[in-house]
Amino acid sequence: MRKILDRYAGYVFLLPWLIGFLALTLVPMGMSFYYSFTNYNLLSAPKWIGVSNYVKMFTSDYHFMNALKVTFLYVFASVPLQLLVSLVLAFVLNKGVKGLSLFRAAYYVPSLLGGSVAISILWRQIFGMEGILNQALGLIGIESHVSWVANPDTAVWTLVLLRMWQFGSPMIIFLAAIKQVPAELMEAAAIDGATKFQQTRKIMLPMISPIILFNLVMQIISAFKVFTESYIISGGNGGVLDSLLFFTLHIYNEGFSKMRMGYASALAWVLVLIIAVLTVIVFFLSKRHVHYD
Amino acid sequence: MSKKRKLGSRIKFICLLVFAAIVLYPLIWMISSSFKEESTIFSDLGIIPGAFTLENYRIGWQSNGRVTFTTYFLNSLLVSVLSVVGNLISCSLTAFAFARLKFKGKNLFFALMMMTLMLPQHAIIVPQYVYFYKLGWLDSFIPLVLPKFLATDAFFIYLLVQFIRGIPRELDEAAIVDGCSKYSVFFRIILPLCQPALVTTTIFTFMWSWNDFFTQVIYLRTTQNYTVTLGLRMFVDPTAKSAYGAMFAMSTLSIVPILILFVFFQKQLIEGIVAGGVKG
């Protein structure tokens, strides 16, 4: 008995994962793909309607187009800005500062709390009509009585700012990567007469380029998945003129408010496809600029 | 030269300090506002409350009057602790299999596991919801906790696999020569040596479950089962009258456990981020 148990130990240890993978990932993926071709409200059996759900997105669901626009704007504005801030700060902190660990901790706190409901509530107040931003603007003589989160032109930018605020976690990864670059390389360049700027551009950046790519991909994926901020700051309805309707909130509203399980599944697959295609594009484009080893 | 450099580093230090103040100001303002009188919150940009009051906490804690934040906090604690237990057990078992044991299909399974790392939860949330609906488990903690016992958080498996690979193999081999089974190798050798990675798993799982909103808003219905995040959401309901003082008071309390963990386990947290490039 003991021998048998020992021989198949691999599967015994793997059992929880195997069950989880089959029952909670693989089968649901198949079902979700099937549902995306059906009309399904949970109460009656799914009804096959072919590609109607996918056609509907592009023809009669104006929320879909809005959600797509808002989400893309958010991702492509916030991720590069966030990474830029984190990279610059990583360089500054790397050069030796008194109280480095304290600064690192302070800058990391927003990343720690950023995705929470509490911070979204705070953001709603800061950029609200009577929020502290308008109060502060009043102090320097600029009268503003517009809510930044209710104004469709500015709403999504408050969320871009919220993401930039969370520059701490990519910064910590950059810091660790910079520390790994051999000091001799920089010294050799300095002896050859390279300026600080040249050293950074020609040696440091190529050396840490795999980490930049890694952060870029991870942050793009995580930005596409943002839900809490969109829900809380817009009050769950996507905001004025859908200006805060992120793709995930649209999926939630269709699936779990309106009980359109088939349509929500189709939307989810479009999201997966977008993320997959973008990841591939980023990897492809970066081939020339990323140096491994 | 050295004087100039000294001045430069002092300027840099001050710039970093000012930047830290700007970054942390919103948070500190919220915490301080939770102790201000409701009527002064909007006009007061300062971070030291003029008249210190705990009234916001008293009102906020009552929530809707029928169910209070006592319930929400206990629910959040239960969900987070069970998630931690689930992840610790299931992810360490899985990681041991991938890092140390030989079996057919291992490479395929490992590749599949790594793929789930990238898979957005949204792709599978609808069928999972249908499952749990048919099993009659909606509005319970089972849909939030059960997946953790089935090793669905691939990130921690990956983290633990990396860690176990760093443990010298001679240790297991010596134990096996001494007559240990693979099971006792796991329990007596690998698990105790994995402690740092298990601590990282514990902290991240706790924080993520504590902050989770998406799954909780989908599965939990009655206020009796609400967690802290859902209790907070009730404040921003269009139908609720907005009481910012109470809202800030409860928001502040909701982040206290996270901040405590951060203070005590900063080192492990930062190592965890570096090890896996986690989004915190």
Side-chain angles (χ1 to χ4, degrees):
Chain A
M1 180 65 197
R2 205 193 123 173
K3 263 211 163 124
I4 295 171
L5 261 179
D6 231 44
R7 181 183 302 164
Y8 294 105
Y11 295 108
V12 175
F13 278 96
L14 206 62
L15 199 61
W17 178 82
L18 268 175
I19 298 172
F21 178 71
L22 287 175
L24 294 173
T25 306
L26 196 62
V27 173
M29 271 176 80
M31 280 165 71
S32 150
F33 193 61
Y34 164 68
Y35 288 156
S36 77
F37 298 101
T38 67
N39 203 341
Y40 185 30
N41 66 359
L42 212 59
L43 300 172
S44 49
K47 204 178 122 221
W48 183 267
I49 53 167
V51 291
S52 300
N53 282 330
Y54 293 95
V55 173
K56 181 181 162 192
M57 279 174 218
F58 295 96
T59 52
S60 60
D61 178 11
Y62 67 95
H63 291 304
F64 169 77
M65 280 303 178
N66 290 339
L68 217 52
K69 251 188 283 176
V70 171
T71 311
F72 268 90
L73 177 62
Y74 169 76
V75 174
F76 288 112
S78 68
V79 173
L81 287 171
Q82 179 199 22
L83 289 185
L84 190 69
V85 175
S86 59
L87 195 56
V88 168
L89 274 160
F91 278 131
V92 173
L93 287 181
N94 181 53
K95 286 281 148 64
V97 191
K98 242 190 272 166
L100 169 70
S101 61
L102 227 66
F103 278 121
R104 198 173 54 177
Y107 292 156
Y108 179 62
V109 167
S111 288
L112 189 70
L113 305 170
S116 68
V117 173
I119 295 301
S120 292
I121 285 178
L122 172 64
W123 231 247
R124 230 168 101 100
Q125 198 286 334
I126 292 177
F127 296 100
M129 191 149 40
E130 298 169 300
I132 54 173
L133 178 62
N134 281 347
Q135 300 285 341
L137 286 175
L139 286 183
I140 56 168
I142 304 168
E143 289 295 320
S144 165
H145 298 289
V146 187
S147 161
W148 298 80
V149 285
N151 178 349
D153 293 330
T154 53
V156 71
W157 293 100
T158 64
L159 267 77
V160 169
L161 205 61
L162 177 51
R163 185 165 202 91
M164 282 175 71
W165 189 58
Q166 301 167 51
F167 63 90
S169 89
M171 181 196 78
I172 285 174
I173 299 171
F174 282 140
L175 254 176
I178 291 172
K179 287 249 182 306
Q180 305 233 310
V181 176
E184 301 90 62
L185 276 181
M186 306 292 276
E187 279 159 19
I191 290 166
D192 288 347
T195 61
K196 278 271 156 62
F197 179 74
Q198 282 173 325
Q199 289 171 32
T200 305
R201 216 186 84 80
K202 298 277 185 190
I203 299 171
M204 193 61 97
L205 282 181
M207 288 296 282
I208 62 166
S209 54
I211 302 297
I212 298 179
L213 175 68
F214 172 82
N215 268 337
L216 185 65
V217 171
M218 294 316 271
Q219 293 297 336
I220 288 178
I221 294 176
S222 114
F224 266 108
K225 294 197 285 194
V226 158
F227 174 75
T228 311
E229 295 90 316
S230 165
Y231 184 106
I232 296 293
I233 296 179
S234 76
N237 61 16
V240 179
L241 295 176
D242 289 348
S243 54
L244 288 173
L245 184 71
F246 280 21
F247 207 94
T248 49
L249 184 58
H250 190 43
I251 295 177
Y252 172 84
N253 282 339
E254 289 294 329
F256 302 101
S257 305
K258 299 179 188 159
M259 287 297 150
R260 293 178 186 151
M261 295 300 180
Y263 190 54
S265 299
L267 286 172
W269 277 102
V270 169
L271 181 67
V272 172
L273 196 70
I274 290 174
I275 294 178
V277 167
L278 268 176
T279 309
V280 170
I281 291 177
V282 170
F283 271 107
F284 188 75
L285 287 182
S286 66
K287 249 189 188 152
R288 245 172 348 127
H289 302 288
V290 175
H291 307 264
Y292 294 97
D293 179 69
Chain B
M1 180 66 195
S2 103
K3 229 179 200 172
K4 207 171 147 195
R5 189 171 274 175
K6 217 172 185 180
L7 186 71
S9 83
R10 189 160 292 171
I11 291 173
K12 191 167 102 178
F13 182 77
I14 291 169
C15 286
L16 285 170
L17 210 62
V18 170
F19 188 66
I22 295 171
V23 164
L24 293 180
Y25 170 74
L27 201 62
I28 295 167
W29 179 83
M30 176 180 87
I31 295 169
S32 117
S33 291
S34 70
F35 296 107
K36 292 175 190 167
E37 280 172 12
E38 173 83 28
S39 58
T40 65
I41 289 178
F42 287 108
S43 50
D44 184 2
L45 294 174
I47 54 170
I48 295 158
F52 184 90
T53 172
L54 286 173
E55 189 64 6
N56 295 324
Y57 283 84
R58 198 187 59 76
I59 296 171
W61 193 268
Q62 298 305 317
S63 187
N64 65 1
R66 292 184 299 279
V67 183
T68 67
F69 264 85
T70 314
T71 310
Y72 307 152
F73 269 96
L74 288 175
N75 287 343
S76 271
L77 196 65
L78 183 66
V79 168
S80 302
V81 168
L82 286 175
S83 298
V84 167
V85 173
N87 264 354
L88 283 179
I89 297 173
S90 70
C91 293
S92 62
L93 289 173
T94 312
F96 180 65
F98 280 135
R100 279 295 204 262
L101 301 175
K102 283 199 197 96
F103 52 91
K104 251 192 201 151
K106 178 167 147 177
N107 290 340
L108 174 72
F109 289 140
F110 190 72
L112 288 172
M113 191 274 292
M114 292 303 287
M115 271 163 70
T116 62
L117 253 179
M118 308 284 266
L119 185 76
Q121 199 191 1
H122 312 85
I124 47 177
I125 190 78
V126 168
Q128 279 190 9
Y129 183 87
V130 175
Y131 266 22
F132 292 128
Y133 165 76
K134 292 201 167 142
L135 289 164
W137 289 344
L138 292 192
D139 199 22
S140 81
F141 299 146
I142 302 174
L144 307 179
V145 168
L146 180 72
K148 310 289 177 195
F149 283 87
L150 297 173
T152 48
D153 274 346
F155 171 72
F156 298 113
I157 302 176
Y158 177 68
L159 190 82
L160 284 157
V161 166
Q162 293 296 86
F163 197 88
I164 295 173
R165 281 181 180 158
I167 299 172
R169 249 175 206 281
E170 291 78 40
L171 290 177
D172 328 11
E173 279 155 14
I176 290 190
V177 169
D178 288 349
C180 270
S181 70
K182 280 161 188 161
Y183 301 89
S184 23
V185 169
F186 173 70
F187 284 109
R188 296 204 187 154
I189 296 170
I190 299 294
L191 217 46
L193 289 173
C194 268
Q195 205 196 341
L198 294 173
V199 171
T200 308
T201 304
T202 303
I203 302 162
F204 275 112
T205 306
F206 188 92
M207 295 199 315
W208 287 347
S209 310
W210 188 269
N211 276 338
D212 172 41
F213 180 64
F214 186 64
T215 353
Q216 297 182 355
V217 80
I218 284 173
Y219 285 116
L220 303 177
R221 287 293 148 82
T222 48
T223 41
Q224 203 55 247
N225 288 330
Y226 270 16
T227 51
V228 174
T229 50
L230 296 181
L232 286 176
R233 184 203 53 168
M234 289 168 78
F235 284 118
V236 296
D237 239 2
T239 51
K241 79 174 171 65
S242 48
Y244 273 101
M247 204 146 107
F248 287 159
M250 292 306 108
S251 293
T252 301
L253 284 186
S254 81
I255 60 175
V256 166
I258 307 284
L259 289 177
I260 291 177
L261 279 178
F262 179 59
V263 169
F264 282 101
F265 296 101
Q266 211 201 106
K267 200 175 137 251
Q268 284 90 338
L269 261 162
I270 285 173
E271 273 166 11
I273 299 161
V274 172
V278 200
K279 160 84 185 63

